[in-house]
Amino acid sequence: MNVDQLYEQLKKIQEPKGYFFNTDKEFVFDLLGALLTNKERYGYMACPCRLASGDRDGDKDIFCPCVYRAPDVEEFGSCYCSLYVSSEWNEGKIEKQYIPERRPPEKMQF
Protein backbone atom coordinates (compact mmCIF):
# COMPACT_ATOMS: atom_id res chain seq x y z
CA MET A 1 0.00 0.00 0.00
CA ASN A 2 1.23 3.49 -0.78
CA VAL A 3 0.36 6.86 0.77
CA ASP A 4 -2.26 7.73 -1.87
CA GLN A 5 -4.06 4.42 -1.31
CA LEU A 6 -3.93 4.80 2.46
CA TYR A 7 -5.30 8.35 2.18
CA GLU A 8 -8.28 7.22 0.09
CA GLN A 9 -8.97 4.18 2.25
CA LEU A 10 -8.89 6.07 5.54
CA LYS A 11 -10.85 9.02 4.15
CA LYS A 12 -13.73 6.68 3.17
CA ILE A 13 -13.74 5.08 6.61
CA GLN A 14 -13.23 8.12 8.84
CA GLU A 15 -15.22 10.94 7.21
CA PRO A 16 -18.60 9.24 7.79
CA LYS A 17 -17.59 9.10 11.48
CA GLY A 18 -16.98 12.86 11.52
CA TYR A 19 -13.17 12.75 11.38
CA PHE A 20 -11.55 14.64 8.53
CA PHE A 21 -7.98 14.93 7.36
CA ASN A 22 -6.24 18.21 7.99
CA THR A 23 -6.53 20.39 4.86
CA ASP A 24 -2.73 20.64 4.67
CA LYS A 25 -2.37 17.68 2.31
CA GLU A 26 1.45 17.72 2.31
CA PHE A 27 1.41 17.52 6.12
CA VAL A 28 -1.16 14.70 5.99
CA PHE A 29 0.85 12.74 3.43
CA ASP A 30 3.99 13.07 5.57
CA LEU A 31 2.10 11.63 8.54
CA LEU A 32 0.57 8.84 6.44
CA GLY A 33 4.05 7.99 5.15
CA ALA A 34 5.25 7.77 8.75
CA LEU A 35 2.31 5.47 9.56
CA LEU A 36 3.36 3.16 6.74
CA THR A 37 6.96 3.26 7.99
CA ASN A 38 5.77 2.29 11.46
CA LYS A 39 3.74 -0.54 9.96
CA GLU A 40 6.88 -1.86 8.25
CA ARG A 41 8.95 -1.35 11.40
CA TYR A 42 6.54 -2.70 14.03
CA GLY A 43 3.82 -4.54 12.13
CA TYR A 44 1.19 -1.95 13.07
CA MET A 45 0.48 1.68 12.29
CA ALA A 46 1.54 3.39 15.50
CA CYS A 47 0.85 7.10 15.84
CA PRO A 48 3.73 8.88 14.08
CA CYS A 49 3.72 11.66 16.70
CA ARG A 50 4.50 9.34 19.58
CA LEU A 51 7.35 6.99 20.33
CA ALA A 52 6.24 3.39 19.86
CA SER A 53 7.93 0.73 21.96
CA GLY A 54 7.57 -2.13 19.50
CA ASP A 55 5.49 -4.01 22.08
CA ARG A 56 2.18 -4.53 20.32
CA ASP A 57 0.14 -4.90 23.52
CA GLY A 58 1.80 -1.91 25.16
CA ASP A 59 1.25 0.27 22.09
CA LYS A 60 -2.40 -0.65 21.41
CA ASP A 61 -3.54 2.74 22.66
CA ILE A 62 -1.53 4.49 19.94
CA PHE A 63 -2.58 2.41 16.94
CA CYS A 64 -3.80 5.05 14.52
CA PRO A 65 -6.44 6.23 15.00
CA CYS A 66 -5.40 6.20 18.63
CA VAL A 67 -7.77 5.94 21.57
CA TYR A 68 -7.08 9.60 22.37
CA ARG A 69 -8.36 10.89 19.03
CA ALA A 70 -12.06 11.08 19.95
CA PRO A 71 -11.58 13.09 23.16
CA ASP A 72 -8.98 15.33 21.50
CA VAL A 73 -11.19 16.12 18.51
CA GLU A 74 -14.22 16.61 20.74
CA GLU A 75 -12.39 19.01 23.06
CA PHE A 76 -9.94 20.75 20.70
CA GLY A 77 -11.18 19.99 17.18
CA SER A 78 -7.96 18.11 16.37
CA CYS A 79 -6.15 14.98 17.43
CA TYR A 80 -2.71 15.25 19.05
CA CYS A 81 -0.81 15.24 15.75
CA SER A 82 -3.49 17.13 13.78
CA LEU A 83 -3.93 14.35 11.24
CA TYR A 84 -7.62 14.01 12.10
CA VAL A 85 -9.68 17.11 12.72
CA SER A 86 -13.28 18.25 12.87
CA SER A 87 -14.92 20.03 9.98
CA GLU A 88 -15.11 23.16 12.17
CA TRP A 89 -11.33 23.04 12.68
CA ASN A 90 -10.73 22.73 8.93
CA GLU A 91 -13.14 25.60 8.24
CA GLY A 92 -11.41 27.89 10.76
CA LYS A 93 -14.52 28.11 12.94
CA ILE A 94 -12.58 27.13 16.05
CA GLU A 95 -9.18 28.23 17.26
CA LYS A 96 -6.26 25.98 16.39
CA GLN A 97 -4.42 25.33 19.60
CA TYR A 98 -1.87 23.08 21.25
CA ILE A 99 -3.25 19.63 22.02
CA PRO A 100 -1.93 18.28 25.33
CA GLU A 101 -0.64 14.71 25.51
CA ARG A 102 -3.30 12.42 26.99
CA ARG A 103 -1.19 9.29 26.94
CA PRO A 104 -0.26 8.38 30.52
CA PRO A 105 3.46 8.82 31.32
CA GLU A 106 3.78 5.18 32.41
CA LYS A 107 2.87 4.12 28.85
CA MET A 108 5.82 6.14 27.49
CA GLN A 109 8.51 4.49 29.58
CA PHE A 110 10.36 1.64 27.95
PDB file of all heavy atoms in Angstrom, residues 33-62:
ATOM      1  N   GLY A  33       2.794   8.678   5.478  1.00  0.00           N
ATOM      2  CA  GLY A  33       4.048   7.991   5.148  1.00  0.00           C
ATOM      3  C   GLY A  33       4.707   7.446   6.401  1.00  0.00           C
ATOM      4  O   GLY A  33       5.231   6.329   6.408  1.00  0.00           O
ATOM      5  N   ALA A  34       4.672   8.226   7.480  1.00  0.00           N
ATOM      6  CA  ALA A  34       5.247   7.770   8.746  1.00  0.00           C
ATOM      7  C   ALA A  34       4.443   6.602   9.325  1.00  0.00           C
ATOM      8  O   ALA A  34       5.011   5.683   9.925  1.00  0.00           O
ATOM      9  CB  ALA A  34       5.304   8.927   9.740  1.00  0.00           C
ATOM     10  N   LEU A  35       3.122   6.609   9.128  1.00  0.00           N
ATOM     11  CA  LEU A  35       2.308   5.470   9.560  1.00  0.00           C
ATOM     12  C   LEU A  35       2.713   4.205   8.823  1.00  0.00           C
ATOM     13  O   LEU A  35       2.828   3.128   9.427  1.00  0.00           O
ATOM     14  CB  LEU A  35       0.824   5.747   9.319  1.00  0.00           C
ATOM     15  CG  LEU A  35       0.112   6.652  10.304  1.00  0.00           C
ATOM     16  CD1 LEU A  35      -1.295   6.960   9.821  1.00  0.00           C
ATOM     17  CD2 LEU A  35       0.070   6.011  11.689  1.00  0.00           C
ATOM     18  N   LEU A  36       2.935   4.329   7.526  1.00  0.00           N
ATOM     19  CA  LEU A  36       3.359   3.162   6.739  1.00  0.00           C
ATOM     20  C   LEU A  36       4.743   2.694   7.161  1.00  0.00           C
ATOM     21  O   LEU A  36       5.006   1.487   7.217  1.00  0.00           O
ATOM     22  CB  LEU A  36       3.308   3.490   5.246  1.00  0.00           C
ATOM     23  CG  LEU A  36       1.900   3.677   4.680  1.00  0.00           C
ATOM     24  CD1 LEU A  36       1.963   4.150   3.233  1.00  0.00           C
ATOM     25  CD2 LEU A  36       1.079   2.397   4.792  1.00  0.00           C
ATOM     26  N   THR A  37       5.624   3.624   7.490  1.00  0.00           N
ATOM     27  CA  THR A  37       6.957   3.264   7.988  1.00  0.00           C
ATOM     28  C   THR A  37       6.832   2.497   9.296  1.00  0.00           C
ATOM     29  O   THR A  37       7.506   1.476   9.491  1.00  0.00           O
ATOM     30  CB  THR A  37       7.824   4.522   8.194  1.00  0.00           C
ATOM     31  OG1 THR A  37       8.011   5.159   6.923  1.00  0.00           O
ATOM     32  CG2 THR A  37       9.175   4.185   8.811  1.00  0.00           C
ATOM     33  N   ASN A  38       5.976   2.990  10.193  1.00  0.00           N
ATOM     34  CA  ASN A  38       5.774   2.287  11.463  1.00  0.00           C
ATOM     35  C   ASN A  38       5.165   0.911  11.251  1.00  0.00           C
ATOM     36  O   ASN A  38       5.496  -0.028  11.977  1.00  0.00           O
ATOM     37  CB  ASN A  38       4.908   3.121  12.413  1.00  0.00           C
ATOM     38  CG  ASN A  38       5.689   4.234  13.067  1.00  0.00           C
ATOM     39  OD1 ASN A  38       6.916   4.249  13.041  1.00  0.00           O
ATOM     40  ND2 ASN A  38       4.984   5.185  13.652  1.00  0.00           N
ATOM     41  N   LYS A  39       4.306   0.787  10.251  1.00  0.00           N
ATOM     42  CA  LYS A  39       3.738  -0.539   9.956  1.00  0.00           C
ATOM     43  C   LYS A  39       4.836  -1.503   9.510  1.00  0.00           C
ATOM     44  O   LYS A  39       4.867  -2.659   9.927  1.00  0.00           O
ATOM     45  CB  LYS A  39       2.645  -0.443   8.902  1.00  0.00           C
ATOM     46  CG  LYS A  39       1.951  -1.764   8.675  1.00  0.00           C
ATOM     47  CD  LYS A  39       0.753  -1.646   7.801  1.00  0.00           C
ATOM     48  CE  LYS A  39       0.096  -3.019   7.717  1.00  0.00           C
ATOM     49  NZ  LYS A  39      -1.174  -2.970   7.038  1.00  0.00           N
ATOM     50  N   GLU A  40       5.749  -1.023   8.681  1.00  0.00           N
ATOM     51  CA  GLU A  40       6.876  -1.862   8.254  1.00  0.00           C
ATOM     52  C   GLU A  40       7.783  -2.189   9.440  1.00  0.00           C
ATOM     53  O   GLU A  40       8.252  -3.311   9.579  1.00  0.00           O
ATOM     54  CB  GLU A  40       7.703  -1.143   7.189  1.00  0.00           C
ATOM     55  CG  GLU A  40       7.031  -1.038   5.844  1.00  0.00           C
ATOM     56  CD  GLU A  40       7.834  -0.202   4.857  1.00  0.00           C
ATOM     57  OE1 GLU A  40       9.063  -0.077   5.024  1.00  0.00           O
ATOM     58  OE2 GLU A  40       7.217   0.342   3.916  1.00  0.00           O
ATOM     59  N   ARG A  41       8.032  -1.211  10.272  1.00  0.00           N
ATOM     60  CA  ARG A  41       8.953  -1.354  11.404  1.00  0.00           C
ATOM     61  C   ARG A  41       8.394  -2.244  12.503  1.00  0.00           C
ATOM     62  O   ARG A  41       9.092  -3.095  13.050  1.00  0.00           O
ATOM     63  CB  ARG A  41       9.258   0.041  11.953  1.00  0.00           C
ATOM     64  CG  ARG A  41      10.276   0.085  13.063  1.00  0.00           C
ATOM     65  CD  ARG A  41      10.530   1.514  13.523  1.00  0.00           C
ATOM     66  NE  ARG A  41      11.186   2.263  12.464  1.00  0.00           N
ATOM     67  CZ  ARG A  41      11.036   3.565  12.269  1.00  0.00           C
ATOM     68  NH1 ARG A  41      10.253   4.284  13.046  1.00  0.00           N
ATOM     69  NH2 ARG A  41      11.677   4.169  11.287  1.00  0.00           N
ATOM     70  N   TYR A  42       7.124  -2.023  12.875  1.00  0.00           N
ATOM     71  CA  TYR A  42       6.544  -2.699  14.033  1.00  0.00           C
ATOM     72  C   TYR A  42       5.468  -3.726  13.699  1.00  0.00           C
ATOM     73  O   TYR A  42       5.090  -4.509  14.560  1.00  0.00           O
ATOM     74  CB  TYR A  42       5.918  -1.668  14.984  1.00  0.00           C
ATOM     75  CG  TYR A  42       6.877  -0.612  15.456  1.00  0.00           C
ATOM     76  CD1 TYR A  42       6.673   0.727  15.123  1.00  0.00           C
ATOM     77  CD2 TYR A  42       7.984  -0.923  16.227  1.00  0.00           C
ATOM     78  CE1 TYR A  42       7.543   1.716  15.553  1.00  0.00           C
ATOM     79  CE2 TYR A  42       8.861   0.056  16.656  1.00  0.00           C
ATOM     80  CZ  TYR A  42       8.637   1.373  16.316  1.00  0.00           C
ATOM     81  OH  TYR A  42       9.493   2.349  16.739  1.00  0.00           O
ATOM     82  N   GLY A  43       4.922  -3.645  12.482  1.00  0.00           N
ATOM     83  CA  GLY A  43       3.825  -4.539  12.135  1.00  0.00           C
ATOM     84  C   GLY A  43       2.468  -3.924  12.394  1.00  0.00           C
ATOM     85  O   GLY A  43       1.441  -4.570  12.212  1.00  0.00           O
ATOM     86  N   TYR A  44       2.437  -2.673  12.835  1.00  0.00           N
ATOM     87  CA  TYR A  44       1.189  -1.954  13.074  1.00  0.00           C
ATOM     88  C   TYR A  44       1.435  -0.466  12.868  1.00  0.00           C
ATOM     89  O   TYR A  44       2.571   0.006  12.960  1.00  0.00           O
ATOM     90  CB  TYR A  44       0.625  -2.221  14.475  1.00  0.00           C
ATOM     91  CG  TYR A  44       1.624  -2.050  15.608  1.00  0.00           C
ATOM     92  CD1 TYR A  44       1.801  -0.813  16.234  1.00  0.00           C
ATOM     93  CD2 TYR A  44       2.388  -3.119  16.059  1.00  0.00           C
ATOM     94  CE1 TYR A  44       2.699  -0.658  17.268  1.00  0.00           C
ATOM     95  CE2 TYR A  44       3.295  -2.981  17.085  1.00  0.00           C
ATOM     96  CZ  TYR A  44       3.449  -1.743  17.700  1.00  0.00           C
ATOM     97  OH  TYR A  44       4.353  -1.592  18.723  1.00  0.00           O
ATOM     98  N   MET A  45       0.359   0.253  12.570  1.00  0.00           N
ATOM     99  CA  MET A  45       0.485   1.682  12.291  1.00  0.00           C
ATOM    100  C   MET A  45       0.374   2.477  13.594  1.00  0.00           C
ATOM    101  O   MET A  45      -0.700   2.952  13.959  1.00  0.00           O
ATOM    102  CB  MET A  45      -0.560   2.140  11.273  1.00  0.00           C
ATOM    103  CG  MET A  45      -0.295   1.614   9.884  1.00  0.00           C
ATOM    104  SD  MET A  45      -1.238   2.423   8.577  1.00  0.00           S
ATOM    105  CE  MET A  45      -2.915   2.058   9.042  1.00  0.00           C
ATOM    106  N   ALA A  46       1.495   2.597  14.273  1.00  0.00           N
ATOM    107  CA  ALA A  46       1.541   3.388  15.501  1.00  0.00           C
ATOM    108  C   ALA A  46       1.523   4.869  15.144  1.00  0.00           C
ATOM    109  O   ALA A  46       2.052   5.284  14.114  1.00  0.00           O
ATOM    110  CB  ALA A  46       2.802   3.057  16.293  1.00  0.00           C
ATOM    111  N   CYS A  47       0.912   5.661  16.014  1.00  0.00           N
ATOM    112  CA  CYS A  47       0.849   7.100  15.836  1.00  0.00           C
ATOM    113  C   CYS A  47       2.257   7.633  15.532  1.00  0.00           C
ATOM    114  O   CYS A  47       3.199   7.355  16.271  1.00  0.00           O
ATOM    115  CB  CYS A  47       0.304   7.750  17.109  1.00  0.00           C
ATOM    116  SG  CYS A  47       0.344   9.541  17.093  1.00  0.00           S
ATOM    117  N   PRO A  48       2.403   8.386  14.444  1.00  0.00           N
ATOM    118  CA  PRO A  48       3.727   8.883  14.078  1.00  0.00           C
ATOM    119  C   PRO A  48       4.217  10.020  14.975  1.00  0.00           C
ATOM    120  O   PRO A  48       5.379  10.399  14.907  1.00  0.00           O
ATOM    121  CB  PRO A  48       3.535   9.374  12.642  1.00  0.00           C
ATOM    122  CG  PRO A  48       2.096   9.712  12.543  1.00  0.00           C
ATOM    123  CD  PRO A  48       1.389   8.754  13.458  1.00  0.00           C
ATOM    124  N   CYS A  49       3.352  10.534  15.828  1.00  0.00           N
ATOM    125  CA  CYS A  49       3.719  11.657  16.696  1.00  0.00           C
ATOM    126  C   CYS A  49       4.095  11.196  18.100  1.00  0.00           C
ATOM    127  O   CYS A  49       4.338  12.012  18.977  1.00  0.00           O
ATOM    128  CB  CYS A  49       2.567  12.650  16.765  1.00  0.00           C
ATOM    129  SG  CYS A  49       2.172  13.313  15.139  1.00  0.00           S
ATOM    130  N   ARG A  50       4.131   9.903  18.281  1.00  0.00           N
ATOM    131  CA  ARG A  50       4.495   9.336  19.584  1.00  0.00           C
ATOM    132  C   ARG A  50       5.547   8.258  19.370  1.00  0.00           C
ATOM    133  O   ARG A  50       5.645   7.685  18.294  1.00  0.00           O
ATOM    134  CB  ARG A  50       3.264   8.743  20.257  1.00  0.00           C
ATOM    135  CG  ARG A  50       2.213   9.777  20.601  1.00  0.00           C
ATOM    136  CD  ARG A  50       1.035   9.116  21.287  1.00  0.00           C
ATOM    137  NE  ARG A  50       0.149  10.073  21.886  1.00  0.00           N
ATOM    138  CZ  ARG A  50      -0.991  10.466  21.337  1.00  0.00           C
ATOM    139  NH1 ARG A  50      -1.386   9.995  20.167  1.00  0.00           N
ATOM    140  NH2 ARG A  50      -1.764  11.337  21.962  1.00  0.00           N
ATOM    141  N   LEU A  51       6.296   7.997  20.404  1.00  0.00           N
ATOM    142  CA  LEU A  51       7.349   6.993  20.326  1.00  0.00           C
ATOM    143  C   LEU A  51       6.765   5.623  20.652  1.00  0.00           C
ATOM    144  O   LEU A  51       6.333   5.384  21.783  1.00  0.00           O
ATOM    145  CB  LEU A  51       8.482   7.338  21.287  1.00  0.00           C
ATOM    146  CG  LEU A  51       9.713   6.456  21.233  1.00  0.00           C
ATOM    147  CD1 LEU A  51      10.339   6.476  19.837  1.00  0.00           C
ATOM    148  CD2 LEU A  51      10.735   6.916  22.260  1.00  0.00           C
ATOM    149  N   ALA A  52       6.727   4.756  19.652  1.00  0.00           N
ATOM    150  CA  ALA A  52       6.240   3.388  19.859  1.00  0.00           C
ATOM    151  C   ALA A  52       7.346   2.552  20.478  1.00  0.00           C
ATOM    152  O   ALA A  52       8.531   2.770  20.221  1.00  0.00           O
ATOM    153  CB  ALA A  52       5.789   2.788  18.534  1.00  0.00           C
ATOM    154  N   SER A  53       6.950   1.584  21.286  1.00  0.00           N
ATOM    155  CA  SER A  53       7.926   0.730  21.959  1.00  0.00           C
ATOM    156  C   SER A  53       8.268  -0.509  21.146  1.00  0.00           C
ATOM    157  O   SER A  53       9.289  -1.142  21.387  1.00  0.00           O
ATOM    158  CB  SER A  53       7.383   0.291  23.315  1.00  0.00           C
ATOM    159  OG  SER A  53       6.274  -0.594  23.138  1.00  0.00           O
ATOM    160  N   GLY A  54       7.392  -0.871  20.218  1.00  0.00           N
ATOM    161  CA  GLY A  54       7.566  -2.127  19.498  1.00  0.00           C
ATOM    162  C   GLY A  54       6.845  -3.276  20.179  1.00  0.00           C
ATOM    163  O   GLY A  54       6.782  -4.379  19.650  1.00  0.00           O
ATOM    164  N   ASP A  55       6.285  -3.028  21.358  1.00  0.00           N
ATOM    165  CA  ASP A  55       5.489  -4.013  22.083  1.00  0.00           C
ATOM    166  C   ASP A  55       4.031  -3.800  21.694  1.00  0.00           C
ATOM    167  O   ASP A  55       3.407  -2.814  22.102  1.00  0.00           O
ATOM    168  CB  ASP A  55       5.682  -3.832  23.589  1.00  0.00           C
ATOM    169  CG  ASP A  55       4.733  -4.692  24.421  1.00  0.00           C
ATOM    170  OD1 ASP A  55       4.235  -5.720  23.912  1.00  0.00           O
ATOM    171  OD2 ASP A  55       4.487  -4.326  25.587  1.00  0.00           O
ATOM    172  N   ARG A  56       3.532  -4.690  20.880  1.00  0.00           N
ATOM    173  CA  ARG A  56       2.179  -4.535  20.324  1.00  0.00           C
ATOM    174  C   ARG A  56       1.132  -4.278  21.406  1.00  0.00           C
ATOM    175  O   ARG A  56       0.311  -3.376  21.288  1.00  0.00           O
ATOM    176  CB  ARG A  56       1.831  -5.776  19.494  1.00  0.00           C
ATOM    177  CG  ARG A  56       0.548  -5.651  18.721  1.00  0.00           C
ATOM    178  CD  ARG A  56       0.307  -6.891  17.851  1.00  0.00           C
ATOM    179  NE  ARG A  56      -0.788  -6.646  16.964  1.00  0.00           N
ATOM    180  CZ  ARG A  56      -0.693  -6.100  15.764  1.00  0.00           C
ATOM    181  NH1 ARG A  56       0.479  -5.765  15.287  1.00  0.00           N
ATOM    182  NH2 ARG A  56      -1.755  -5.899  15.014  1.00  0.00           N
ATOM    183  N   ASP A  57       1.135  -5.076  22.459  1.00  0.00           N
ATOM    184  CA  ASP A  57       0.142  -4.901  23.519  1.00  0.00           C
ATOM    185  C   ASP A  57       0.316  -3.561  24.227  1.00  0.00           C
ATOM    186  O   ASP A  57      -0.667  -2.891  24.530  1.00  0.00           O
ATOM    187  CB  ASP A  57       0.218  -6.045  24.528  1.00  0.00           C
ATOM    188  CG  ASP A  57      -0.345  -7.344  23.981  1.00  0.00           C
ATOM    189  OD1 ASP A  57      -1.182  -7.294  23.063  1.00  0.00           O
ATOM    190  OD2 ASP A  57       0.061  -8.413  24.474  1.00  0.00           O
ATOM    191  N   GLY A  58       1.543  -3.170  24.482  1.00  0.00           N
ATOM    192  CA  GLY A  58       1.801  -1.907  25.161  1.00  0.00           C
ATOM    193  C   GLY A  58       1.475  -0.689  24.319  1.00  0.00           C
ATOM    194  O   GLY A  58       1.209   0.391  24.856  1.00  0.00           O
ATOM    195  N   ASP A  59       1.495  -0.852  23.006  1.00  0.00           N
ATOM    196  CA  ASP A  59       1.249   0.267  22.094  1.00  0.00           C
ATOM    197  C   ASP A  59      -0.179   0.314  21.552  1.00  0.00           C
ATOM    198  O   ASP A  59      -0.502   1.196  20.763  1.00  0.00           O
ATOM    199  CB  ASP A  59       2.212   0.197  20.898  1.00  0.00           C
ATOM    200  CG  ASP A  59       3.632   0.576  21.258  1.00  0.00           C
ATOM    201  OD1 ASP A  59       3.839   1.213  22.304  1.00  0.00           O
ATOM    202  OD2 ASP A  59       4.540   0.248  20.460  1.00  0.00           O
ATOM    203  N   LYS A  60      -1.040  -0.594  21.970  1.00  0.00           N
ATOM    204  CA  LYS A  60      -2.398  -0.650  21.406  1.00  0.00           C
ATOM    205  C   LYS A  60      -3.130   0.686  21.482  1.00  0.00           C
ATOM    206  O   LYS A  60      -3.926   1.008  20.613  1.00  0.00           O
ATOM    207  CB  LYS A  60      -3.230  -1.733  22.097  1.00  0.00           C
ATOM    208  CG  LYS A  60      -2.954  -3.114  21.583  1.00  0.00           C
ATOM    209  CD  LYS A  60      -3.885  -4.115  22.206  1.00  0.00           C
ATOM    210  CE  LYS A  60      -3.589  -5.484  21.627  1.00  0.00           C
ATOM    211  NZ  LYS A  60      -4.458  -6.519  22.179  1.00  0.00           N
ATOM    212  N   ASP A  61      -2.847   1.460  22.502  1.00  0.00           N
ATOM    213  CA  ASP A  61      -3.543   2.742  22.657  1.00  0.00           C
ATOM    214  C   ASP A  61      -3.118   3.778  21.618  1.00  0.00           C
ATOM    215  O   ASP A  61      -3.820   4.760  21.404  1.00  0.00           O
ATOM    216  CB  ASP A  61      -3.346   3.313  24.062  1.00  0.00           C
ATOM    217  CG  ASP A  61      -1.893   3.622  24.392  1.00  0.00           C
ATOM    218  OD1 ASP A  61      -0.997   2.830  24.009  1.00  0.00           O
ATOM    219  OD2 ASP A  61      -1.646   4.657  25.043  1.00  0.00           O
ATOM    220  N   ILE A  62      -1.991   3.530  20.942  1.00  0.00           N
ATOM    221  CA  ILE A  62      -1.527   4.494  19.942  1.00  0.00           C
ATOM    222  C   ILE A  62      -1.573   3.934  18.518  1.00  0.00           C
ATOM    223  O   ILE A  62      -0.964   4.494  17.614  1.00  0.00           O
ATOM    224  CB  ILE A  62      -0.125   5.056  20.273  1.00  0.00           C
ATOM    225  CG1 ILE A  62       0.933   3.962  20.361  1.00  0.00           C
ATOM    226  CG2 ILE A  62      -0.187   5.914  21.526  1.00  0.00           C
ATOM    227  CD1 ILE A  62       2.368   4.474  20.416  1.00  0.00           C
TER     228      ILE A  62
END
